[in-house]
Amino acid sequence: MFVFTTCEEKGGEFEGLWYNRGTCYLMSGDWAKSIEDYTRSIEKNQFTDDARYNLGICHMQLGEYEAAVAALDEVVSSMENRTGVMLNDAVYYFRGVCNEALGKYEEAIKDLTTCIDHGYEPAQCYYERAQVYAAMGDTENQTKDLESSMTSIK
């Protein structure tokens, strides 16, 4: 991180400075500093989808679920507007987890179902969706998803 900070202090800037330093902060668990640098990366229009995705993860780690969903919504919107781009299903997983935390159960079910349909981490997605069904009081679907979670463990 010293190299990134020194570069900034000396007035220098290179493409990816904010994104790369934000990633260092992310890896060290410094969510607030990571958010600052990812925000600057987005402002500089550098690595915007990746920066928004990581920004969403940082907000989620801080319990700032509305901000996390907003960042992840932008990633989904950006990727859906480009042809030939494979959506990263992890975006849907984490947005689903945040929607669950916000009590937006229908949105959470939709996102987690997308993950399951795309084959993204099925055991984890079924388990997480079971938690949403439990919160909704839907024990039948909760039980089905817990069973599916167990049978999809490899």
Side-chain angles (χ1 to χ4, degrees):
M1 226 154 348
F2 174 75
V3 172
F4 300 126
T5 303
T6 302
C7 183
E8 178 191 12
E9 288 169 354
K10 295 190 183 276
E13 190 170 321
F14 60 89
E15 179 150 355
L17 167 67
W18 308 113
Y19 176 80
N20 290 325
R21 193 171 73 174
T23 300
C24 289
Y25 286 131
L26 175 100
M27 299 304 283
S28 69
D30 192 336
W31 314 118
K33 285 185 180 177
S34 188
I35 286 170
E36 289 175 20
D37 282 354
Y38 285 135
T39 300
R40 287 182 84 174
S41 178
I42 293 164
E43 289 168 355
K44 299 272 186 191
N45 206 27
Q46 297 175 349
F47 306 100
T48 52
D49 286 338
D50 290 334
R52 282 188 179 110
Y53 173 79
N54 289 342
L55 186 65
I57 300 303
C58 293
H59 282 299
M60 182 182 78
Q61 292 295 333
L62 290 171
E64 299 168 350
Y65 300 112
E66 291 283 353
V69 169
L72 297 171
D73 281 347
E74 288 185 42
V75 175
V76 170
S77 177
S78 171
M79 296 178 94
E80 286 177 344
N81 290 329
R82 289 187 273 158
T83 57
V85 175
M86 178 182 270
L87 293 176
N88 181 343
D89 294 319
V91 174
Y92 291 106
Y93 174 77
F94 289 115
R95 190 172 68 175
V97 169
C98 291
N99 277 321
E100 175 188 359
L102 291 168
K104 297 179 178 178
Y105 300 131
E106 294 301 323
E107 290 93 336
I109 295 287
K110 181 179 175 189
D111 283 336
L112 295 167
T113 300
T114 297
C115 292
I116 292 165
D117 291 346
H118 292 181
Y120 176 79
E121 301 291 335
Q124 184 63 34
C125 292
Y126 276 118
Y127 177 80
E128 199 65 47
R129 195 172 70 175
Q131 301 312 304
V132 178
Y133 283 130
M136 296 170 70
D138 184 345
T139 56
E140 182 179 339
N141 280 317
Q142 176 194 15
T143 301
K144 287 178 186 176
D145 274 3
L146 287 174
E147 290 170 359
S148 294
S149 176
M150 295 301 292
T151 58
S152 63
I153 294 175
K154 297 178 181 178

